[in-house]
Structure formats: C-alpha cells, structure tokens
Amino acid sequence: MNPRPINQLPASLVNRIAAGEVIERPASVVKELVENAIDAGATQIRVEIEDGGTTLIRVTDNGHGIPPGDLGLAFAPHATSKLQTDEDLFNILTMGFRGEALASIGSVSHSRILSRVSSDDAAYEIFNRGGAISDPQAAPGNIGTTIEVRNLFFNVPARRKFLKGQATEYGHIAEMLQRLALPHPEVGFTLMHNNRSTMNLPVVADPVERLLSAWPDEFHEQRLPLEARDAEIWVRGVIGLPELARPVAKYQYLYLNGRPIRDKYIQHAIREAYRGLTEPGRHPAAILLLTVPPTDVDVNVHPTKFEVRFKDSGRIHGLVLSSIRERLLGSDLTPNATLRADAPAAERMDMQEKLAAFFKQMPPVMSTGNLQDSGFGIQGSGIQSETSTRFDSAPPILSPQSSALSPNPTPEPRALTAISAIQLHNSYLVAESDDGLVIIDQHALHERIMFEELLARLTRGPLESQRLLIPHVIEASARQIEMAGQIQALLMKLGIEVTEFGPTSLAVQAFPSFLERLEPGEFIRELLEKGEQELLDLHEEELLHEVLDMMACKAAIKAGDPLTPQEIEALLARRDLVERSSNCPHGRPTTLRLSLRDLEKQFKRTGF
Ligand code: ADP
Ligand code: MG
C-alpha cells in the first residue's frame, strides 16, 4: 500500500476538531462564555437561551470588553489575552488560558461578538459563521460584551443528533450556571429560558449565602460552616450534617482557585471524614472552596479543565479530611436535634490523634515476601498471653467493673442529669433528656461505644489477648493466606495471632479476651472472606476501621437481648463519654430525639 500524502489541516477543520473536545453540548458553551465574562471582571452576567440552547445562547456581561482591534483574534485559535509570557502558564489565576473556546464555538455555530471597552464611545461587532469570520463593524452597545451563539452544531450532524430534549439541555445549563456562580458572590447571575426568568442570583456580601443557593432550603438548618488552612492551602465552605448525605453526589461541589473541579482524592477525603456517620455509598453534602498557590497545581491536564493535578495531593487530602472531621466531631449530630453548643475541646478525644498515636506504635506491615520467607512465624510477637485479668469477666461490656475498657478519659465526664430509662421490646431504650426524650437503638449505641473505646484502648497498646489452648484451624485459600500475612501486624495489635498451618489452612493462636463469646476461627474466616471479595480496603487506617467495626458489631449486645436496670444505666452513662455516639460505626443513627416542643406540636398543645 502506498502512503497517502500528509496534509496541513485548514484552520476551520482544526477548530472543529478542538470543538469536539471542548464543546459537548449547549451547557459547555455556557460554561466557556460565562468563564470569559468572569475573567473580564464582570459584576453582572445574564444568560439567555432558547430551546435548551440549541437555537440561541446569549451571554451578556458588564466586564472590561474587547478592544475592536482584538475582535478578530478573539475567534482565532490559540489566541488569548490571559497568557502574556511563557511563565504565566504556571501561574494561572484566570478561568481560561487555552485560547480555544471562542474559535471552537465559532467553528460549529453562527456566532456574534458585540463588545465595547470603556474608552470607546461605540461598540463593535464581529460574526463567525462556522469559521467564516467577518470584519469588525461599529454597532450600538453598552460597555461590556455580549456573545451570541445560534444554531449550535449546525455543521456537525452527529453532535446535533446526540443532543437530548430541550428540557434536559436546559437542566444541564442551569446546573452549570449554578456551579459556576457558587464561588462568585461578588457577581450577579440571571438565566432566562424562552424569555422566562428561571434563575436569579443577586450579588451577596456573605459568601456562604451564595453557596447555600445550591442546596434545597430545608438543608440550611443542617449545615456547618467550615474553614481551615495550613501555610499554603485554604479550605472554606459549608458541609451538611451526615443525614443530608444522598445516594448521588448531587450536593457536593468542589472548587480549586474558583474553578469547579472533579477530584477523586478530595472526594475520598470527604467520604473518609464522614465514615461511620453516614451509610456507606452515600455522598455527604459539602461545598468546598480550595485555594492553593497556582504554582502548586497543574490545571492544564484536561481540555475542559475539570480535572487538575496537585503537586501534593496527600496534603490537600489530609487537610480536607481533618478539618471536616474536626467540625463534625465538635457538633451534635443526633438527627432532629437542634445544634447544641460545642462540647469543650478538652472533653473530646480527637479521633485523628488517636489514630496517629496508634500508627506511630505500629510495626511496619509485613510484605508478602517476608511472609513466605519467615514461614509466617510470629513468635515473640509481644502479644501478651493470658496476662489480662481486667477483661475476663464474662459480658464485661456492661458490667460496672468494665470501666477498664472505657478510654480512661483524661477529661472529666460531663455531669449527667439523672437519667431513667426503660427497655422496650428488648431492643430500644427510652430515656428522658433535658429537653424531651430520646429513643436509643441498644445494639447500635453499644456498637458505637465499643468501637470508640476499642480505638481509644489501642492508643495505649495492643489489646489484651488470650492464647488459645487449642488453636482454631480454618481452611484458607492462597489469597487469604497471603492476606493474613499482609495484615499480620495490624491483627497483632488487635490481640489476634494467626499463623500458617499447612498449605491450605491458617491457625488462630490468640484472640482478644473481651471477644471470648465469639468463635475465633469464624471471625477470621469472615474477615478474610471480606478481604478476598475486595470488600476490605487494605490501607492501614481503613482496614483498622473495618476490623474494629466487625469486632464492635459482634461483641455488642443485640436487639432482643434483655438488659438489667444496671446494664441500662451503664450503657447510658458511657454514651456521654464517647464521640459520635449519635451514629453507629455503619452510620445508622443510634439515637432519635423528640423535644418537648415537638411533642407539644404533635399533641396540638401549642398555645396553652
Ligand atoms: P481564553 O479564555 O482561554 O483566553 P477564549 O477563546 O475563551 O480563550 O477567549 C479568547 C479571548 O477573548 C480571551 O482571552 C479574552 O481576551 C477575550 N474574551 C472572550 N470573552 C470575553 C469577554 N466576555 N469579555 C472580555 N474579553 C473576552
Ligand atoms: Mg475562555
């Protein structure tokens, strides 16, 4: 086969190819035009669309305008006023910089720019009909810029066909405009669809007020403002109480230096901060504005600039995680509760600190290679055998002596109002509270208490463990044996010793004293099965959570277990000593609250 000649593509085709990347649908045009208006310093931006943007998109701003001499260049590819020197690429503070948007849009539509700078008496207009650009002409117009885009994709039938109905395209536009508007309270935005006003976001002095415009009104009571910074990174925004988390990430918005972004590290940090407070798979409501030095981030990794690359994503992850977690821990998260004043800082044991302390003591996790070499021996592992006397008493968790299990709180426990509670259906506790009554799920609460107490215990050393007289042997797959080796160090901290026992089995040699009601082999089997099905995250901190969850869940009293009055009292007393007692480690609430006001309302006693 003969080679075909290489052609230099004509500009019109180059632009159309670029448009394929940047302009997916009418909302993409709105994004580019509104970003340009923001970059131009506008304080009022009006977006008018017809037929979901397919026949007309018009964006009008009161920004600095485009000088008539530059109008032709505005439609030229790779033409921008936002990079003046090469170095500017590494110091980007504007939304745009690629100089591609208007050229792309012009190549796939009938477009017009009308613009006037303040030093001129007249405005000038220029047309671009699918790549054919007119000369600028004087025309009447205000200071600022209007860009009209008609008949989008008139020459790209494939794209045109791919567009959804008007209502859907309108929906994308409204969402895009909302997203762009959130970090700019200093700019007013309006949206008109088919001559009807559909969105109006006036200029506001309080940035939080603008952020909240993205959430339904009923969310507003359940929000917490957030602000944290380290030497270089600044995180601001609002986060929602755990109960606002939803199966889709609809109420989550992330910004970097004013630019909307998607970032899986930051999303992960948010999820982690809410771990144990929301059900798994739910997305917390959070709007975060991150400000970092432009030199610490590469925004030039994606044509639509939705994705960015951080120089140090770990640091951002850490700051987001710790600031949200701190905010949540300092707040009363009981559903339906009105927010109480924060507990004094000293009363709270910081989860972050506890975890940090725990990992400082942890021996490095052994690699699989070591496991094979060492024959998986962990003799002299430091696990205390039968040293524990404190944990021996049978159901230790609720007996008064079990205070040894509690985190030995350095802080003084909050004074408890004398609480009387009754157990209903052997599953629920109903107790009087300061301002009404609470209904407690006994299993969920006990599980949470156990979890927090175990975590606190771990900061002081390995859990007390009991060497088993006869090892419990379980069948295990090669993958499970390998995994047992990988998590060996962590298991040892938890008082669990597992060794290889022939090519297809494992032996549990030691097990935590307080889990004595459980069958050790079963517990390990379940853990490794979860790991094999990749339900476990083998990252240290997360794995620790998972195993503690499992322990707490299994050791906790169950629904259906009758409790003595002393046991009820012990359980309630410890409720106030642990963090996050409002939710069990799986994120379900432990406690529901009914205030006297609610009751009066329900019984229609208001007014008496
Ligand atoms: P970029 O925004 O990446 O620079 P665009 O193709 O979006 O590229 O715009 C090209 C240039 O046109 C911009 O750099 C800017 O100088 C000018 N421009 C576009 N829209 C506006 C506007 N609304 N107001 C003022 N200048 C604008
Ligand atoms: Mg632009």
Side-chain angles (χ1 to χ4, degrees):
M1 198 165 95
N2 289 330
R4 296 164 67 186
I6 298 177
N7 294 318
Q8 183 84 54
L9 297 180
S12 59
L13 201 48
V14 170
N15 293 341
R16 244 195 268 176
I17 291 169
E21 279 190 324
V22 188
I23 308 300
E24 190 195 341
R25 58 180 358 137
S28 334
V29 174
V30 170
K31 172 180 189 284
E32 296 298 336
L33 299 186
V34 169
E35 286 188 349
N36 282 345
I38 293 171
D39 282 345
T43 57
Q44 280 299 331
I45 299 175
R46 185 169 76 225
V47 180
E48 296 159 273
I49 60 171
E50 278 170 24
D51 307 325
T54 52
T55 40
L56 171 71
I57 298 167
R58 181 189 294 126
V59 175
T60 304
D61 68 57
N62 62 352
H64 57 53
I66 306 172
D70 277 357
L71 271 181
L73 278 173
F75 275 132
H78 311 299
T80 177
S81 57
K82 299 167 195 176
L83 300 180
Q84 299 288 334
T85 69
D86 288 5
E87 285 72 51
D88 286 353
L89 184 56
F90 307 104
N91 200 14
I92 288 167
L93 292 167
T94 49
M95 310 275 284
F97 61 88
R98 299 170 61 96
E100 267 184 342
L102 290 185
S104 301
I105 293 168
S107 73
V108 294
S109 67
H110 297 145
S111 296
R112 168 183 182 243
I113 304 176
L114 172 71
S115 193
R116 182 178 147 200
V117 293
S118 60
S119 53
D120 262 329
D121 295 336
Y124 288 81
E125 67 181 354
I126 185 170
F127 293 89
N128 186 343
R129 302 183 68 81
I133 303 171
S134 69
D135 286 331
Q137 299 262 308
N142 297 325
I143 293 171
T145 303
T146 297
I147 301 188
E148 276 174 15
V149 177
R150 292 179 189 273
N151 310 325
L152 184 64
F153 300 138
F154 78 96
N155 53 357
V156 196
R159 270 289 149 93
R160 209 172 165 89
K161 239 187 269 159
F162 158 92
L163 292 181
K164 299 279 186 319
Q166 263 198 46
T168 306
E169 295 302 336
Y170 165 75
H172 285 290
I173 289 173
E175 201 184 305
M176 180 66 79
L177 189 61
Q178 176 81 61
R179 195 167 275 271
L180 291 168
L182 289 191
H184 294 287
E186 76 287 358
V187 183
F189 294 85
T190 58
L191 176 62
M192 313 258 300
H193 188 204
N194 296 336
N195 292 318
R196 275 191 24 248
S197 164
T198 52
M199 191 192 294
N200 182 17
L201 297 170
V203 173
V204 281
D206 176 8
V208 172
E209 194 179 329
R210 172 61 63 80
L211 296 185
L212 289 177
S213 68
W215 286 352
D217 286 350
E218 64 268 23
F219 277 30
H220 294 187
E221 291 282 292
Q222 286 139 300
R223 65 158 199 263
L224 302 167
L226 182 84
E227 168 147 24
R229 57 165 89 226
D230 70 10
E232 253 133 33
I233 313 168
W234 184 24
V235 184
R236 292 168 296 156
V238 286
I239 58 171
L241 293 187
E243 55 189 296
L244 299 186
R246 292 292 180 269
V248 289
K250 194 170 159 195
Y251 301 114
Q252 218 173 73
Y253 296 83
L254 298 180
Y255 296 87
L256 174 79
N257 296 347
R259 187 192 300 286
I261 58 160
R262 284 188 293 256
D263 188 272
K264 59 181 194 308
Y265 290 109
I266 301 174
Q267 279 167 344
H268 179 266
I270 297 172
R271 253 199 332 271
E272 276 306 298
Y274 281 79
R275 176 189 276 271
L277 295 173
T278 62
E279 286 171 51
R282 296 208 157 217
H283 300 269
I287 305 176
L288 300 185
L289 312 183
L290 288 136
T291 308
V292 306
T295 44
D296 284 359
V297 61
D298 186 356
V299 292
N300 188 24
V301 291
H302 196 261
T304 59
K305 300 165 287 185
F306 271 130
E307 273 153 39
V308 298
R309 199 174 290 139
F310 293 106
K311 233 190 221 163
D312 188 353
S313 51
R315 186 164 156 196
I316 299 201
H317 186 278
L319 187 66
V320 170
L321 172 60
S322 63
S323 59
I324 297 181
R325 198 176 268 178
E326 239 162 65
R327 196 74 185 85
L328 291 171
L329 292 183
S331 310
D332 183 348
L333 305 177
T334 305
N336 300 331
T338 45
L339 291 180
R340 265 202 311 245
D342 289 357
E347 270 188 36
R348 286 184 271 119
M349 303 258 300
D350 190 342
M351 168 95 150
Q352 192 80 14
E353 277 166 25
K354 280 192 268 182
L355 283 172
F358 172 71
F359 286 113
K360 260 188 226 129
Q361 313 164 357
M362 274 245 326
V365 175
M366 250 185 220
S367 73
T368 325
N370 284 348
L371 163 66
Q372 250 101 48
D373 296 341
S374 69
F376 206 164
I378 46 170
Q379 252 64 51
S381 59
I383 291 184
Q384 298 148 284
S385 310
E386 324 222 38
T387 48
S388 156
T389 46
R390 288 188 298 183
F391 289 81
D392 288 347
S393 51
I397 304 312
L398 289 178
S399 59
Q401 312 95 286
S402 73
S403 58
L405 233 197
S406 76
N408 182 22
T410 14
E412 283 290 303
R414 246 172 294 171
L416 286 167
T417 45
I419 291 179
S420 55
I422 50 166
Q423 190 188 30
L424 300 179
H425 300 286
N426 286 341
S427 298
Y428 298 102
L429 308 177
V430 179
E432 186 175 291
S433 64
D434 296 347
D435 63 340
L437 60 93
V438 292
I439 306 167
I440 294 165
D441 175 334
Q442 65 186 36
H443 170 70
L445 175 61
H446 193 206
E447 192 181 345
R448 167 53 82 192
I449 290 173
M450 297 270 316
F451 179 88
E452 294 292 335
E453 290 182 349
L454 283 170
L455 198 55
R457 278 279 302 108
L458 277 170
T459 64
R460 303 204 300 274
L463 295 184
E464 281 77 0
S465 114
Q466 199 136 33
R467 187 155 289 278
L468 303 170
L469 286 178
I470 306 162
H472 289 235
V473 178
I474 55 170
E475 289 289 298
S477 67
R479 169 85 189 97
Q480 288 176 342
I481 293 175
E482 177 193 323
M483 199 163 44
Q486 284 172 346
I487 64 175
Q488 182 182 19
L490 181 125
L491 291 180
M492 278 162 50
K493 279 281 175 188
L494 296 168
I496 301 175
E497 183 183 338
V498 181
T499 58
E500 240 179 4
F501 199 83
T504 59
S505 27
L506 291 166
V508 186
Q509 307 280 5
F511 206 63
S513 321
F514 79 97
L515 287 177
E516 62 187 12
R517 284 191 296 182
L518 300 188
E519 216 285 295
E522 282 297 314
F523 184 86
I524 296 302
R525 195 198 328 268
E526 192 178 316
L527 180 69
L528 296 177
E529 275 170 3
K530 269 192 179 175
E532 201 172 30
Q533 293 161 28
E534 306 198 350
L535 299 174
L536 284 186
D537 190 330
L538 293 183
H539 182 266
E540 282 176 334
E541 182 173 335
E542 279 125 28
L543 180 65
L544 175 70
H545 268 271
E546 304 267 11
V547 183
L548 288 184
D549 272 5
M550 270 181 73
M551 284 185 166
C553 182
K554 295 194 180 302
I557 49 167
K558 304 278 175 295
D561 287 350
L563 300 178
T564 66
Q566 290 78 8
E567 288 171 333
I568 293 175
E569 204 179 312
L571 185 59
L572 293 180
R574 284 155 65 204
R575 173 172 184 259
D576 282 1
L577 294 179
V578 301
E579 288 163 4
R580 306 184 297 177
S581 65
S582 61
N583 296 76
C584 78
H586 305 299
R588 294 186 299 270
T590 64
T591 307
L592 299 175
R593 176 177 301 206
L594 259 179
S595 68
L596 284 176
R597 248 188 48 201
D598 291 337
L599 284 175
E600 278 159 15
K601 245 199 276 171
Q602 295 291 325
F603 286 117
K604 316 250 184 264
R605 284 172 58 116
T606 34
F608 282 90

